[in-house]
């Protein structure tokens, strides 16, 4: 990278690591600025019921770095998680979810569209979390019923004892809890029994292969059954083809999400889609 000392021969063996560390620190400080300056954008990826009706959207953060261009959340979320910056990013996510709830209510007052925010384990175990959620999203029960937290199976299992009581309290306020990326962690049935969740999101690595691999098909079918028996809604993520969508519907999945239906949409396109599905006035051309 430009701007780095070319002669770091003294530290020859760990210079690569030093460089990577410096890049990470730089990225974190830029991320700090991007959060404070509200320069991140949350795209909204729709979720559909099996009858094709729009049910809500997952908010996925996007960062267009002024110099480095688009940076994937897969790159900067893990860094943010190590630095606690994640907490402020999550707050931003809740504020964004609230704006979406109010916006949809503006053109479809009876809407039950639900917005999901991805949260990290360290968010939930932070003692400030319940207050932060209340401040960022408000405490109107009608609004809280339209918020869902997506937390990965791995994050839950890693800190089960501390997470469960907080998730239970949050859930008592009407917020829903979804287990994200289900199947990629080491969940045993004992854990599944203890996690207070409303929704199970089957990871895309299984969804992708249900048509080509009988083993994946068996695992997904059983997962759907267990999840439903435990009273959970089942969402499939990463649905890329009509065949997979049909298979999931036939096997009892409740909601579908993936490129076959829609990519994550920038806010104006999301608004157009939601309005087209829920009715309301045509959008102003200027809002595009
Ligand atoms: P995730 O929460 O499991 O989100 C699903 C990822 O799969 C998203 O990638 C989404 O764009 C992508 N995806 C959706 N449909 C399809 C499909 O049909 N095919 C394929 N191949 N991919 C699909 P994205 O947006 O790059 O996010 C990656 C991960 O970064 C997310 O996984 C989540 O763990 C994390 N992340 C994203 N936004 C946030 C955020 O605001 N907060 C936190 N804590 N994590 C976030
Ligand atoms: Mg997610
Ligand atoms: Mg996921
Ligand atoms: Mg994922």
């Amino acid at each position: 990278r430009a701007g780095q000392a070319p002669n770091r021969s003294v530290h020859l063996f760990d210079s690569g690591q030093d460089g990577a560390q410096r890049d990470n620190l730089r990225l974190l400080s830029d991320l700090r600025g991007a959060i404070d300056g509200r320069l991140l954008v949350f795209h909204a990826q729709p979720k559909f019921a099996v009858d094709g009706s729009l049910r809500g959207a997952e908010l996925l953060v996007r960062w267009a770095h002024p110099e480095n261009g688009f940076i994937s959340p897969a790159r900067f979320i893990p860094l943010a998680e190590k630095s606690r910056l994640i907490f402020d990013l999550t707050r931003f996510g809740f504020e964004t979810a609230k704006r979406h709830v109010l916006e949809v209510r503006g053109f479809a007052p009876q809407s039950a569209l639900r917005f999901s925010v991805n949260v990290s384990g360290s968010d939930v175990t932070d003692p400030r979390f319940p207050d932060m959620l209340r401040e960022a999203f408000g405490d109107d029960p009608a609004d809280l019923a339209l918020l869902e937290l997506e937390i990965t199976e791995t994050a839950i299992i890693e800190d089960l004892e501390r997470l469960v009581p907080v998730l239970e309290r949050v859930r008592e306020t009407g917020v829903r809890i979804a287990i994200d990326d289900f199947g990629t962690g080491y969940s045993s049935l004992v854990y599944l029994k203890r996690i207070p969740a409303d929704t199970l999101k089957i990871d895309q690595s299984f969804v992708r292969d249900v048509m080509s691999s009988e083993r994946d098909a068996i695992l997904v079918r059983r997962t759907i059954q267990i999840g439903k028996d435990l009273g959970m809604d089942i969402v499939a993520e990463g649905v890329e083809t009509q065949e997979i969508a049909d298979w999931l519907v036939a096997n009892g999945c409740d909601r579908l999400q993936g490129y076959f239906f829609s990519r994550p949409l920038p806010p104006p396109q999301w608004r157009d889609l939601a309005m087209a599905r829920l009715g309301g006035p045509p959008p102003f051309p200027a809002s595009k």
Side-chain angles (χ1 to χ4, degrees):
R1 243 187 59 192
Q4 270 180 8
N7 53 343
R8 288 181 294 141
S9 50
V10 180
H11 298 292
L12 193 63
F13 292 105
D14 53 14
S15 65
Q17 214 188 342
D18 282 358
Q21 244 167 43
R22 206 163 309 144
D23 284 352
N24 287 348
L25 284 176
R26 170 77 198 283
L27 202 64
L28 277 176
S29 114
D30 290 352
L31 183 59
R32 165 91 276 160
I35 293 171
D36 292 346
R38 293 297 187 253
L39 300 175
L40 302 173
V41 176
F42 287 85
H43 286 196
Q45 187 177 32
K47 296 180 193 177
F48 296 91
V50 294
D51 65 359
S53 59
L54 180 64
R55 286 306 162 92
E58 174 178 9
L59 300 178
L60 293 156
V61 70
R62 297 291 178 260
W63 183 16
H65 190 282
E67 289 154 43
N68 305 350
F70 172 77
I71 305 177
S72 166
R75 162 100 173 92
F76 67 83
I77 292 287
L79 286 178
E81 283 175 339
K82 279 186 205 133
S83 76
R84 298 243 148 191
L85 257 186
I86 193 69
F87 194 77
D88 294 329
L89 194 148
T90 302
R91 184 203 316 267
F92 194 2
F94 290 149
E95 290 165 0
T96 305
K98 179 60 179 270
R99 278 208 305 282
H100 277 291
V101 166
L102 296 180
E103 179 182 79
V104 173
R105 195 168 287 145
F107 60 80
Q110 304 305 319
S111 152
L113 291 193
R114 184 171 290 135
F115 292 89
S116 310
V117 175
N118 289 284
V119 302
S120 301
S122 67
D123 290 327
V124 179
T125 51
D126 190 309
R128 298 170 296 165
F129 183 74
D131 286 341
M132 183 272 271
L133 173 54
R134 199 175 311 117
E135 279 157 27
F137 191 83
D139 56 7
D140 183 333
D143 296 344
L144 289 166
L146 300 179
L147 178 66
E148 183 170 66
L149 312 187
E150 293 194 7
I151 179 160
T152 65
E153 179 194 5
T154 307
I156 299 173
I157 303 303
E158 270 172 5
D159 211 354
L160 190 76
E161 301 304 327
R162 293 206 297 158
L163 277 162
V164 164
V166 186
L167 293 178
E168 273 166 354
R169 270 172 55 205
V170 168
R171 206 166 164 233
E172 277 161 17
T173 69
V175 173
R176 293 170 59 106
I177 309 292
I179 308 176
D180 204 353
D181 299 352
F182 187 79
T184 60
Y186 296 95
S187 225
S188 75
L189 296 181
V190 178
Y191 288 138
L192 203 49
K193 189 179 119 181
R194 287 202 49 203
I195 299 170
D198 308 275
T199 303
L200 202 63
K201 284 193 86 172
I202 303 174
D203 191 68
Q204 48 185 289
S205 59
F206 297 98
V207 171
R208 193 184 302 135
D209 294 330
V210 288
M211 303 306 295
S212 54
S213 154
E214 184 55 22
R215 296 177 78 91
D216 287 75
I218 290 167
L219 290 172
V220 171
R221 214 180 276 128
R222 289 284 181 247
T223 303
I224 292 172
Q225 274 173 19
I226 290 171
K228 293 194 95 148
D229 287 348
L230 289 172
M232 289 190 270
D233 265 352
I234 313 296
V235 181
E237 66 173 24
V239 180
E240 293 190 358
T241 68
Q242 174 84 62
E243 291 72 32
I244 293 175
D246 290 344
W247 187 94
L248 290 162
V249 172
N251 283 280
C253 204
D254 299 299
R255 275 177 281 151
L256 307 172
Q257 187 186 20
Y259 294 169
F260 173 67
F261 299 98
S262 171
R263 299 217 161 223
L265 300 171
Q269 277 91 305
W270 156 259
R271 192 184 309 129
D272 288 352
L273 179 133
M275 279 187 170
R277 292 303 192 108
L278 300 182
F284 295 111
S287 74
K288 292 227 173 186

